[in-house]
Amino acid sequence: MPTFPVPGSPSPLPLLVRRLGRQPYEPVWHAMQAFTDARGQDTPDELWLVEHDPVFTLGQAGKPEHVLAPGDIPVIHVDRGGQVTYHGPGQIVAYPLLDLRRLHVGVRDMVHRIEQSIIDTLAEWNIAGVRREGAPGVYVADAKIAALGLRVRHGCTFHGLAFNVAMDLEPFQRINPCGYVGLKVAQMLDLGGPSKLADVEEVLIAELGRQFGLSPQAAELAPPRAVA
């Protein structure tokens, strides 16, 4: 599918990129909801990048039995699709806040494009990422390196992807990741990739922009109603 504008076509729409740093989960989640509810037909699409404090999140149809032994890590029930996953330091969490109607992109196509952006980012470090039919996300060999959990409201998306870069993987042993018993989890650092999230973020931002035909632009201001 073409993602670049052809000669003579209008300039690509902007994708405002906000780097939120390390944040607790709930304030950012509620800020996404507020942004999605308040946006209009001319609101630019945004991409929020964040590194969350340790937390397990359980999707709308998530089964509590997949949370095996959370210990001191909180479990939060959220309004995205999917089962249970873990967020923590050393993981890129990216929230593409996109107007799918304006982009003329369906939900399945959006998932495919996000997965491709991760696969192409991995390829920058010669890591071979693949899809699995019926199991959204990106895998390296038999291990999951990136998870997806999305919500669409009024044709606009929130929530997004979690991409393991250089983190403590132990908390994944306390759950059935994404609802799969015994699913192995991988991270870039163990596969010859970088340890700095910023290095991976730069490539991921460019690939997401390319997949959706948007022009990434740094945004200086914090998102509305987000954490300080």
Side-chain angles (χ1 to χ4, degrees), residues 19-31:
R19 298 177 182 270
L20 305 185
R22 181 164 169 174
Q23 301 283 358
Y25 182 85
E26 288 192 82
V28 179
W29 168 33
H30 294 314

Side-chain angles (χ1 to χ4, degrees), residues 27-191:
V28 179
W29 168 33
H30 294 314
M32 282 191 292
Q33 293 174 316
F35 174 85
T36 303
D37 288 341
R39 68 181 301 171
Q41 62 181 5
D42 296 323
T43 302
D45 292 323
E46 299 199 4
L47 174 66
W48 296 0
L49 296 168
V50 62
E51 186 180 14
H52 281 307
D53 295 338
V55 64
F56 296 114
T57 64
L58 192 63
Q60 280 186 307
K63 298 179 179 179
E65 57 263 34
H66 290 306
V67 183
L68 306 176
D72 58 352
I73 299 176
V75 180
I76 300 176
H77 291 253
V78 300
D79 56 348
R80 61 163 172 79
Q83 292 286 334
V84 64
T85 193
Y86 169 70
H87 300 313
Q91 178 191 68
I92 296 172
V93 179
Y95 296 126
L97 308 177
L98 308 179
D99 185 336
L100 297 184
R101 296 167 299 186
R102 185 169 59 205
L103 294 173
H104 304 292
V105 172
V107 175
R108 180 172 296 190
D109 190 14
M110 179 197 182
V111 170
H112 181 93
R113 293 184 192 213
I114 291 175
E115 289 172 336
Q116 191 61 49
S117 71
I118 298 167
I119 290 169
D120 292 343
T121 298
L122 289 167
E124 188 77 8
W125 286 274
N126 299 311
I127 300 171
V130 298
R131 297 180 179 83
R132 280 188 179 177
E133 186 66 31
V138 175
Y139 301 78
V140 176
D142 293 324
K144 193 165 194 173
I145 198 166
L148 271 63
L150 301 167
R151 176 74 186 272
V152 179
R153 182 183 293 172
H154 306 305
C156 298
T157 67
F158 58 108
H159 292 289
L161 66 98
F163 190 179
N164 304 336
V165 177
M167 61 189 303
D168 179 7
L169 297 177
E170 184 277 332
F172 285 104
Q173 299 176 21
R174 308 186 197 183
I175 61 175
N176 292 326
C178 303
Y180 293 96
V181 177
L183 177 65
K184 296 178 182 178
V185 177
Q187 61 179 340
M188 290 188 71
L189 183 62
D190 296 336
L191 299 167

